[in-house]
mmCIF file of all heavy atoms in Angstrom:
data_model
loop_
_atom_site.group_PDB
_atom_site.id
_atom_site.type_symbol
_atom_site.label_atom_id
_atom_site.label_comp_id
_atom_site.label_asym_id
_atom_site.label_seq_id
_atom_site.Cartn_x
_atom_site.Cartn_y
_atom_site.Cartn_z
ATOM 1 N N SER A 14 -10.989 18.724 -1.898
ATOM 2 C CA SER A 14 -9.566 18.700 -2.194
ATOM 3 C C SER A 14 -9.324 17.725 -3.329
ATOM 4 O O SER A 14 -9.862 16.623 -3.340
ATOM 5 C CB SER A 14 -8.797 18.269 -0.935
ATOM 6 O OG SER A 14 -7.425 18.473 -1.101
ATOM 7 N N ALA A 15 -8.524 18.131 -4.298
ATOM 8 C CA ALA A 15 -8.302 17.305 -5.486
ATOM 9 C C ALA A 15 -6.949 16.608 -5.415
ATOM 10 O O ALA A 15 -5.994 17.123 -4.844
ATOM 11 C CB ALA A 15 -8.378 18.160 -6.749
ATOM 12 N N GLY A 16 -6.875 15.439 -6.035
ATOM 13 C CA GLY A 16 -5.602 14.756 -6.204
ATOM 14 C C GLY A 16 -5.166 13.923 -5.025
ATOM 15 O O GLY A 16 -4.012 13.532 -4.948
ATOM 16 N N ILE A 17 -6.061 13.652 -4.078
ATOM 17 C CA ILE A 17 -5.698 12.830 -2.931
ATOM 18 C C ILE A 17 -5.996 11.369 -3.243
ATOM 19 O O ILE A 17 -7.125 11.009 -3.555
ATOM 20 C CB ILE A 17 -6.473 13.260 -1.675
ATOM 21 C CG1 ILE A 17 -6.112 14.694 -1.299
ATOM 22 C CG2 ILE A 17 -6.189 12.327 -0.515
ATOM 23 C CD1 ILE A 17 -6.890 15.219 -0.117
ATOM 24 N N SER A 18 -4.970 10.543 -3.169
ATOM 25 C CA SER A 18 -5.158 9.112 -3.360
ATOM 26 C C SER A 18 -5.629 8.514 -2.041
ATOM 27 O O SER A 18 -4.841 8.329 -1.115
ATOM 28 C CB SER A 18 -3.858 8.454 -3.809
ATOM 29 O OG SER A 18 -3.439 8.981 -5.046
ATOM 30 N N ARG A 19 -6.908 8.242 -1.956
ATOM 31 C CA ARG A 19 -7.514 7.839 -0.690
ATOM 32 C C ARG A 19 -7.838 6.350 -0.697
ATOM 33 O O ARG A 19 -8.475 5.859 -1.623
ATOM 34 C CB ARG A 19 -8.791 8.652 -0.461
ATOM 35 C CG ARG A 19 -9.504 8.352 0.833
ATOM 36 C CD ARG A 19 -10.597 9.385 1.047
ATOM 37 N NE ARG A 19 -11.329 9.141 2.289
ATOM 38 C CZ ARG A 19 -12.162 10.017 2.832
ATOM 39 N NH1 ARG A 19 -12.363 11.167 2.240
ATOM 40 N NH2 ARG A 19 -12.782 9.732 3.944
ATOM 41 N N TYR A 20 -7.398 5.678 0.356
ATOM 42 C CA TYR A 20 -7.633 4.245 0.498
ATOM 43 C C TYR A 20 -8.274 3.987 1.865
ATOM 44 O O TYR A 20 -7.855 4.561 2.867
ATOM 45 C CB TYR A 20 -6.321 3.448 0.405
ATOM 46 C CG TYR A 20 -5.571 3.648 -0.892
ATOM 47 C CD1 TYR A 20 -4.712 4.730 -1.050
ATOM 48 C CD2 TYR A 20 -5.733 2.759 -1.951
ATOM 49 C CE1 TYR A 20 -4.025 4.921 -2.237
ATOM 50 C CE2 TYR A 20 -5.043 2.942 -3.147
ATOM 51 C CZ TYR A 20 -4.198 4.026 -3.283
ATOM 52 O OH TYR A 20 -3.521 4.218 -4.465
ATOM 53 N N THR A 21 -9.245 3.107 1.878
ATOM 54 C CA THR A 21 -9.863 2.676 3.128
ATOM 55 C C THR A 21 -9.417 1.258 3.427
ATOM 56 O O THR A 21 -9.586 0.355 2.598
ATOM 57 C CB THR A 21 -11.398 2.737 3.049
ATOM 58 O OG1 THR A 21 -11.807 4.080 2.789
ATOM 59 C CG2 THR A 21 -12.018 2.267 4.356
ATOM 60 N N VAL A 22 -8.837 1.065 4.591
ATOM 61 C CA VAL A 22 -8.340 -0.260 4.972
ATOM 62 C C VAL A 22 -9.535 -1.163 5.242
ATOM 63 O O VAL A 22 -10.458 -0.813 5.986
ATOM 64 C CB VAL A 22 -7.450 -0.162 6.219
ATOM 65 C CG1 VAL A 22 -6.883 -1.541 6.581
ATOM 66 C CG2 VAL A 22 -6.306 0.827 5.984
ATOM 67 N N SER A 23 -9.533 -2.321 4.636
ATOM 68 C CA SER A 23 -10.651 -3.260 4.775
ATOM 69 C C SER A 23 -10.674 -3.842 6.195
ATOM 70 O O SER A 23 -9.673 -3.771 6.928
ATOM 71 C CB SER A 23 -10.499 -4.401 3.764
ATOM 72 O OG SER A 23 -9.423 -5.253 4.136
ATOM 73 N N PRO A 24 -11.798 -4.429 6.591
ATOM 74 C CA PRO A 24 -11.861 -5.070 7.920
ATOM 75 C C PRO A 24 -10.806 -6.142 8.108
ATOM 76 O O PRO A 24 -10.427 -6.444 9.250
ATOM 77 C CB PRO A 24 -13.279 -5.663 7.949
ATOM 78 C CG PRO A 24 -14.070 -4.806 7.018
ATOM 79 C CD PRO A 24 -13.109 -4.435 5.917
ATOM 80 N N GLU A 25 -10.338 -6.709 7.014
ATOM 81 C CA GLU A 25 -9.284 -7.738 7.108
ATOM 82 C C GLU A 25 -7.891 -7.123 7.103
ATOM 83 O O GLU A 25 -6.896 -7.841 7.232
ATOM 84 C CB GLU A 25 -9.394 -8.716 5.943
ATOM 85 C CG GLU A 25 -10.652 -9.571 5.959
ATOM 86 C CD GLU A 25 -11.885 -8.782 5.525
ATOM 87 O OE1 GLU A 25 -11.717 -7.812 4.741
ATOM 88 O OE2 GLU A 25 -12.994 -9.136 5.949
ATOM 89 N N GLY A 26 -7.787 -5.791 6.941
ATOM 90 C CA GLY A 26 -6.484 -5.122 7.015
ATOM 91 C C GLY A 26 -5.794 -4.913 5.688
ATOM 92 O O GLY A 26 -4.582 -4.677 5.665
ATOM 93 N N TYR A 27 -6.524 -4.956 4.566
ATOM 94 C CA TYR A 27 -5.913 -4.825 3.241
ATOM 95 C C TYR A 27 -6.328 -3.522 2.563
ATOM 96 O O TYR A 27 -7.364 -2.921 2.895
ATOM 97 C CB TYR A 27 -6.348 -5.984 2.340
ATOM 98 C CG TYR A 27 -5.747 -7.318 2.708
ATOM 99 C CD1 TYR A 27 -6.381 -8.151 3.627
ATOM 100 C CD2 TYR A 27 -4.559 -7.769 2.117
ATOM 101 C CE1 TYR A 27 -5.848 -9.390 3.961
ATOM 102 C CE2 TYR A 27 -4.023 -8.995 2.452
ATOM 103 C CZ TYR A 27 -4.665 -9.801 3.366
ATOM 104 O OH TYR A 27 -4.125 -11.025 3.692
ATOM 105 N N ILE A 28 -5.489 -3.091 1.600
ATOM 106 C CA ILE A 28 -5.879 -2.060 0.644
ATOM 107 C C ILE A 28 -5.617 -2.612 -0.755
ATOM 108 O O ILE A 28 -4.786 -3.510 -0.932
ATOM 109 C CB ILE A 28 -5.110 -0.734 0.833
ATOM 110 C CG1 ILE A 28 -3.599 -0.946 0.630
ATOM 111 C CG2 ILE A 28 -5.411 -0.114 2.179
ATOM 112 C CD1 ILE A 28 -2.796 0.352 0.585
ATOM 113 N N ASP A 29 -6.334 -2.094 -1.727
ATOM 114 C CA ASP A 29 -6.140 -2.505 -3.122
ATOM 115 C C ASP A 29 -5.361 -1.399 -3.817
ATOM 116 O O ASP A 29 -5.905 -0.360 -4.153
ATOM 117 C CB ASP A 29 -7.493 -2.724 -3.793
ATOM 118 C CG ASP A 29 -7.365 -3.483 -5.109
ATOM 119 O OD1 ASP A 29 -6.219 -3.801 -5.479
ATOM 120 O OD2 ASP A 29 -8.391 -3.735 -5.757
ATOM 121 N N PHE A 30 -4.058 -1.636 -4.018
ATOM 122 C CA PHE A 30 -3.173 -0.596 -4.552
ATOM 123 C C PHE A 30 -2.986 -0.799 -6.058
ATOM 124 O O PHE A 30 -2.850 -1.950 -6.526
ATOM 125 C CB PHE A 30 -1.813 -0.661 -3.852
ATOM 126 C CG PHE A 30 -0.970 0.560 -4.050
ATOM 127 C CD1 PHE A 30 -1.215 1.714 -3.322
ATOM 128 C CD2 PHE A 30 0.072 0.557 -4.976
ATOM 129 C CE1 PHE A 30 -0.430 2.842 -3.504
ATOM 130 C CE2 PHE A 30 0.849 1.673 -5.161
ATOM 131 C CZ PHE A 30 0.594 2.829 -4.427
ATOM 132 N N PRO A 31 -2.973 0.298 -6.833
ATOM 133 C CA PRO A 31 -2.806 0.158 -8.289
ATOM 134 C C PRO A 31 -1.551 -0.636 -8.644
ATOM 135 O O PRO A 31 -0.493 -0.456 -8.055
ATOM 136 C CB PRO A 31 -2.702 1.612 -8.762
ATOM 137 C CG PRO A 31 -3.419 2.400 -7.729
ATOM 138 C CD PRO A 31 -3.154 1.704 -6.431
ATOM 139 N N VAL A 32 -1.681 -1.511 -9.613
ATOM 140 C CA VAL A 32 -0.608 -2.345 -10.158
ATOM 141 C C VAL A 32 -0.159 -3.415 -9.166
ATOM 142 O O VAL A 32 -0.052 -4.596 -9.506
ATOM 143 C CB VAL A 32 0.608 -1.514 -10.621
ATOM 144 C CG1 VAL A 32 1.668 -2.426 -11.239
ATOM 145 C CG2 VAL A 32 0.192 -0.413 -11.589
ATOM 146 N N LEU A 33 0.086 -3.028 -7.907
ATOM 147 C CA LEU A 33 0.573 -3.993 -6.920
ATOM 148 C C LEU A 33 -0.525 -4.924 -6.429
ATOM 149 O O LEU A 33 -0.242 -6.024 -5.949
ATOM 150 C CB LEU A 33 1.201 -3.261 -5.729
ATOM 151 C CG LEU A 33 2.452 -2.422 -6.010
ATOM 152 C CD1 LEU A 33 2.952 -1.784 -4.720
ATOM 153 C CD2 LEU A 33 3.555 -3.268 -6.658
ATOM 154 N N GLY A 34 -1.765 -4.510 -6.513
ATOM 155 C CA GLY A 34 -2.873 -5.344 -6.059
ATOM 156 C C GLY A 34 -3.111 -5.243 -4.560
ATOM 157 O O GLY A 34 -2.851 -4.209 -3.933
ATOM 158 N N LYS A 35 -3.588 -6.331 -3.958
ATOM 159 C CA LYS A 35 -3.926 -6.325 -2.543
ATOM 160 C C LYS A 35 -2.665 -6.315 -1.683
ATOM 161 O O LYS A 35 -1.773 -7.142 -1.859
ATOM 162 C CB LYS A 35 -4.767 -7.554 -2.186
ATOM 163 C CG LYS A 35 -6.258 -7.321 -2.229
ATOM 164 C CD LYS A 35 -6.985 -8.490 -1.586
ATOM 165 C CE LYS A 35 -8.460 -8.143 -1.400
ATOM 166 N NZ LYS A 35 -9.173 -9.201 -0.669
ATOM 167 N N LEU A 36 -2.649 -5.381 -0.732
ATOM 168 C CA LEU A 36 -1.506 -5.287 0.182
ATOM 169 C C LEU A 36 -2.014 -5.355 1.620
ATOM 170 O O LEU A 36 -2.974 -4.675 1.988
ATOM 171 C CB LEU A 36 -0.753 -3.966 -0.020
ATOM 172 C CG LEU A 36 -0.174 -3.687 -1.411
ATOM 173 C CD1 LEU A 36 0.496 -2.315 -1.428
ATOM 174 C CD2 LEU A 36 0.824 -4.773 -1.808
ATOM 175 N N LYS A 37 -1.360 -6.174 2.439
ATOM 176 C CA LYS A 37 -1.693 -6.270 3.858
ATOM 177 C C LYS A 37 -0.984 -5.134 4.586
ATOM 178 O O LYS A 37 0.238 -5.108 4.695
ATOM 179 C CB LYS A 37 -1.234 -7.611 4.418
ATOM 180 C CG LYS A 37 -1.497 -7.812 5.901
ATOM 181 C CD LYS A 37 -2.954 -8.074 6.197
ATOM 182 C CE LYS A 37 -3.151 -8.507 7.646
ATOM 183 N NZ LYS A 37 -4.552 -8.770 7.987
ATOM 184 N N VAL A 38 -1.755 -4.158 5.088
ATOM 185 C CA VAL A 38 -1.146 -2.970 5.688
ATOM 186 C C VAL A 38 -1.449 -2.836 7.176
ATOM 187 O O VAL A 38 -0.842 -2.004 7.858
ATOM 188 C CB VAL A 38 -1.624 -1.696 4.955
ATOM 189 C CG1 VAL A 38 -1.225 -1.728 3.488
ATOM 190 C CG2 VAL A 38 -3.133 -1.509 5.094
ATOM 191 N N GLU A 39 -2.348 -3.641 7.692
ATOM 192 C CA GLU A 39 -2.700 -3.535 9.108
ATOM 193 C C GLU A 39 -1.485 -3.778 9.991
ATOM 194 O O GLU A 39 -0.683 -4.680 9.747
ATOM 195 C CB GLU A 39 -3.787 -4.554 9.460
ATOM 196 C CG GLU A 39 -4.236 -4.496 10.918
ATOM 197 C CD GLU A 39 -5.276 -5.543 11.238
ATOM 198 O OE1 GLU A 39 -5.634 -6.338 10.333
ATOM 199 O OE2 GLU A 39 -5.740 -5.580 12.395
ATOM 200 N N GLY A 40 -1.328 -2.941 11.022
ATOM 201 C CA GLY A 40 -0.217 -3.095 11.952
ATOM 202 C C GLY A 40 1.034 -2.343 11.565
ATOM 203 O O GLY A 40 1.999 -2.305 12.340
ATOM 204 N N MET A 41 1.055 -1.719 10.374
ATOM 205 C CA MET A 41 2.217 -0.947 9.946
ATOM 206 C C MET A 41 2.092 0.503 10.382
ATOM 207 O O MET A 41 0.986 1.028 10.523
ATOM 208 C CB MET A 41 2.364 -0.997 8.415
ATOM 209 C CG MET A 41 2.698 -2.330 7.824
ATOM 210 S SD MET A 41 2.995 -2.177 6.034
ATOM 211 C CE MET A 41 3.293 -3.886 5.595
ATOM 212 N N SER A 42 3.233 1.145 10.575
ATOM 213 C CA SER A 42 3.250 2.591 10.764
ATOM 214 C C SER A 42 3.300 3.261 9.396
ATOM 215 O O SER A 42 3.430 2.585 8.367
ATOM 216 C CB SER A 42 4.455 3.006 11.602
ATOM 217 O OG SER A 42 5.665 2.751 10.886
ATOM 218 N N ARG A 43 3.208 4.576 9.380
ATOM 219 C CA ARG A 43 3.286 5.293 8.104
ATOM 220 C C ARG A 43 4.619 5.014 7.416
ATOM 221 O O ARG A 43 4.671 4.745 6.218
ATOM 222 C CB ARG A 43 3.128 6.793 8.316
ATOM 223 C CG ARG A 43 1.733 7.222 8.704
ATOM 224 C CD ARG A 43 1.570 8.731 8.645
ATOM 225 N NE ARG A 43 2.677 9.435 9.270
ATOM 226 C CZ ARG A 43 3.430 10.352 8.648
ATOM 227 N NH1 ARG A 43 3.205 10.656 7.385
ATOM 228 N NH2 ARG A 43 4.401 10.959 9.290
ATOM 229 N N ASP A 44 5.700 5.108 8.160
ATOM 230 C CA ASP A 44 7.024 4.892 7.573
ATOM 231 C C ASP A 44 7.194 3.464 7.084
ATOM 232 O O ASP A 44 7.809 3.218 6.030
ATOM 233 C CB ASP A 44 8.116 5.230 8.597
ATOM 234 C CG ASP A 44 8.238 6.725 8.840
ATOM 235 O OD1 ASP A 44 7.749 7.512 7.986
ATOM 236 O OD2 ASP A 44 8.817 7.119 9.870
ATOM 237 N N GLU A 45 6.655 2.509 7.842
ATOM 238 C CA GLU A 45 6.778 1.105 7.439
ATOM 239 C C GLU A 45 6.011 0.841 6.146
ATOM 240 O O GLU A 45 6.509 0.133 5.261
ATOM 241 C CB GLU A 45 6.268 0.204 8.563
ATOM 242 C CG GLU A 45 7.195 0.164 9.777
ATOM 243 C CD GLU A 45 6.574 -0.533 10.967
ATOM 244 O OE1 GLU A 45 5.333 -0.728 10.970
ATOM 245 O OE2 GLU A 45 7.312 -0.890 11.906
ATOM 246 N N LEU A 46 4.823 1.412 6.024
ATOM 247 C CA LEU A 46 4.053 1.214 4.800
ATOM 248 C C LEU A 46 4.724 1.907 3.621
ATOM 249 O O LEU A 46 4.775 1.353 2.508
ATOM 250 C CB LEU A 46 2.632 1.754 4.971
ATOM 251 C CG LEU A 46 1.730 1.654 3.749
ATOM 252 C CD1 LEU A 46 1.652 0.219 3.235
ATOM 253 C CD2 LEU A 46 0.343 2.192 4.050
ATOM 254 N N SER A 47 5.251 3.093 3.850
ATOM 255 C CA SER A 47 5.965 3.802 2.788
ATOM 256 C C SER A 47 7.151 2.982 2.286
ATOM 257 O O SER A 47 7.363 2.823 1.070
ATOM 258 C CB SER A 47 6.438 5.158 3.307
ATOM 259 O OG SER A 47 7.226 5.823 2.348
ATOM 260 N N GLY A 48 7.930 2.439 3.224
ATOM 261 C CA GLY A 48 9.083 1.625 2.839
ATOM 262 C C GLY A 48 8.675 0.326 2.160
ATOM 263 O O GLY A 48 9.349 -0.133 1.223
ATOM 264 N N PHE A 49 7.555 -0.255 2.611
ATOM 265 C CA PHE A 49 7.073 -1.509 2.015
ATOM 266 C C PHE A 49 6.670 -1.299 0.559
ATOM 267 O O PHE A 49 7.053 -2.078 -0.336
ATOM 268 C CB PHE A 49 5.896 -2.038 2.828
ATOM 269 C CG PHE A 49 5.239 -3.243 2.233
ATOM 270 C CD1 PHE A 49 5.890 -4.467 2.194
ATOM 271 C CD2 PHE A 49 3.962 -3.154 1.686
ATOM 272 C CE1 PHE A 49 5.280 -5.582 1.633
ATOM 273 C CE2 PHE A 49 3.350 -4.258 1.122
ATOM 274 C CZ PHE A 49 4.008 -5.479 1.099
ATOM 275 N N ILE A 50 5.888 -0.250 0.286
ATOM 276 C CA ILE A 50 5.453 0.019 -1.089
ATOM 277 C C ILE A 50 6.646 0.377 -1.970
ATOM 278 O O ILE A 50 6.748 -0.075 -3.124
ATOM 279 C CB ILE A 50 4.407 1.146 -1.106
ATOM 280 C CG1 ILE A 50 3.121 0.668 -0.419
ATOM 281 C CG2 ILE A 50 4.108 1.589 -2.540
ATOM 282 C CD1 ILE A 50 2.049 1.726 -0.305
ATOM 283 N N LYS A 51 7.553 1.160 -1.445
ATOM 284 C CA LYS A 51 8.747 1.504 -2.216
ATOM 285 C C LYS A 51 9.544 0.254 -2.579
ATOM 286 O O LYS A 51 10.013 0.097 -3.717
ATOM 287 C CB LYS A 51 9.624 2.463 -1.408
ATOM 288 C CG LYS A 51 10.880 2.916 -2.135
ATOM 289 C CD LYS A 51 11.655 3.943 -1.307
ATOM 290 C CE LYS A 51 12.915 4.379 -2.055
ATOM 291 N NZ LYS A 51 13.662 5.429 -1.308
ATOM 292 N N GLY A 52 9.694 -0.664 -1.618
ATOM 293 C CA GLY A 52 10.416 -1.904 -1.881
ATOM 294 C C GLY A 52 9.729 -2.767 -2.924
ATOM 295 O O GLY A 52 10.392 -3.378 -3.778
ATOM 296 N N GLU A 53 8.380 -2.807 -2.877
ATOM 297 C CA GLU A 53 7.628 -3.589 -3.851
ATOM 298 C C GLU A 53 7.788 -3.009 -5.261
ATOM 299 O O GLU A 53 7.956 -3.745 -6.236
ATOM 300 C CB GLU A 53 6.147 -3.628 -3.461
ATOM 301 C CG GLU A 53 5.836 -4.509 -2.261
ATOM 302 C CD GLU A 53 6.061 -5.977 -2.567
ATOM 303 O OE1 GLU A 53 5.522 -6.476 -3.566
ATOM 304 O OE2 GLU A 53 6.805 -6.628 -1.787
ATOM 305 N N LEU A 54 7.719 -1.701 -5.376
ATOM 306 C CA LEU A 54 7.842 -1.070 -6.689
ATOM 307 C C LEU A 54 9.229 -1.287 -7.292
ATOM 308 O O LEU A 54 9.375 -1.590 -8.488
ATOM 309 C CB LEU A 54 7.557 0.437 -6.587
ATOM 310 C CG LEU A 54 6.109 0.817 -6.217
ATOM 311 C CD1 LEU A 54 6.008 2.330 -6.012
ATOM 312 C CD2 LEU A 54 5.147 0.364 -7.309
ATOM 313 N N MET A 55 10.242 -1.142 -6.464
ATOM 314 C CA MET A 55 11.607 -1.336 -6.958
ATOM 315 C C MET A 55 11.898 -2.816 -7.183
ATOM 316 O O MET A 55 12.574 -3.184 -8.147
ATOM 317 C CB MET A 55 12.600 -0.728 -5.965
ATOM 318 C CG MET A 55 12.486 0.790 -5.826
ATOM 319 S SD MET A 55 13.628 1.497 -4.596
ATOM 320 C CE MET A 55 15.224 1.116 -5.343
ATOM 321 N N GLY A 56 11.405 -3.684 -6.285
ATOM 322 C CA GLY A 56 11.675 -5.108 -6.401
ATOM 323 C C GLY A 56 11.033 -5.731 -7.633
ATOM 324 O O GLY A 56 11.550 -6.714 -8.177
ATOM 325 N N ARG A 57 9.924 -5.168 -8.093
ATOM 326 C CA ARG A 57 9.258 -5.671 -9.281
ATOM 327 C C ARG A 57 9.653 -4.886 -10.544
ATOM 328 O O ARG A 57 9.035 -5.048 -11.597
ATOM 329 C CB ARG A 57 7.751 -5.608 -9.105
ATOM 330 C CG ARG A 57 7.218 -6.399 -7.906
ATOM 331 C CD ARG A 57 5.689 -6.386 -7.881
ATOM 332 N NE ARG A 57 5.152 -6.891 -6.618
ATOM 333 C CZ ARG A 57 3.856 -7.075 -6.388
ATOM 334 N NH1 ARG A 57 2.970 -6.805 -7.350
ATOM 335 N NH2 ARG A 57 3.446 -7.520 -5.225
ATOM 336 N N ASP A 58 10.669 -4.034 -10.411
ATOM 337 C CA ASP A 58 11.156 -3.217 -11.536
ATOM 338 C C ASP A 58 10.041 -2.349 -12.138
ATOM 339 O O ASP A 58 9.992 -2.112 -13.347
ATOM 340 C CB ASP A 58 11.773 -4.098 -12.633
ATOM 341 C CG ASP A 58 13.071 -4.757 -12.188
ATOM 342 O OD1 ASP A 58 13.796 -4.128 -11.394
ATOM 343 O OD2 ASP A 58 13.335 -5.895 -12.607
ATOM 344 N N LEU A 59 9.164 -1.864 -11.244
ATOM 345 C CA LEU A 59 8.087 -1.007 -11.718
ATOM 346 C C LEU A 59 8.464 0.472 -11.653
ATOM 347 O O LEU A 59 7.902 1.299 -12.371
ATOM 348 C CB LEU A 59 6.818 -1.244 -10.881
ATOM 349 C CG LEU A 59 6.213 -2.654 -10.984
ATOM 350 C CD1 LEU A 59 5.087 -2.822 -9.978
ATOM 351 C CD2 LEU A 59 5.696 -2.885 -12.407
ATOM 352 N N ALA A 60 9.402 0.806 -10.805
ATOM 353 C CA ALA A 60 9.838 2.194 -10.664
ATOM 354 C C ALA A 60 11.242 2.206 -10.090
ATOM 355 O O ALA A 60 11.634 1.296 -9.342
ATOM 356 C CB ALA A 60 8.888 2.972 -9.771
#
């Protein structure tokens, strides 16, 4: 399958996201992580 942005959560609970860098995602639900990344992108005037 092409075009899937795939991330593996590290043993410490982080992912390395483009531009934003290391993000602590352990313990979040899908919706919580979606809202967190959206807030980071808008809060940093990236999107």
Side-chain angles (χ1 to χ4, degrees):
S14 191
I17 297 177
S18 298
R19 181 170 180 167
Y20 301 84
T21 300
V22 182
S23 71
E25 294 76 28
Y27 289 89
I28 61 171
D29 195 359
F30 195 78
V32 183
L33 296 181
K35 266 192 170 185
L36 301 178
K37 179 74 170 180
V38 299
E39 181 182 1
M41 293 186 182
S42 66
R43 289 191 314 124
D44 288 341
E45 289 170 344
L46 178 55
S47 175
F49 174 69
I50 293 177
K51 182 176 180 177
E53 287 293 308
L54 294 174
M55 295 178 64
R57 301 185 192 185
D58 292 327
L59 296 172

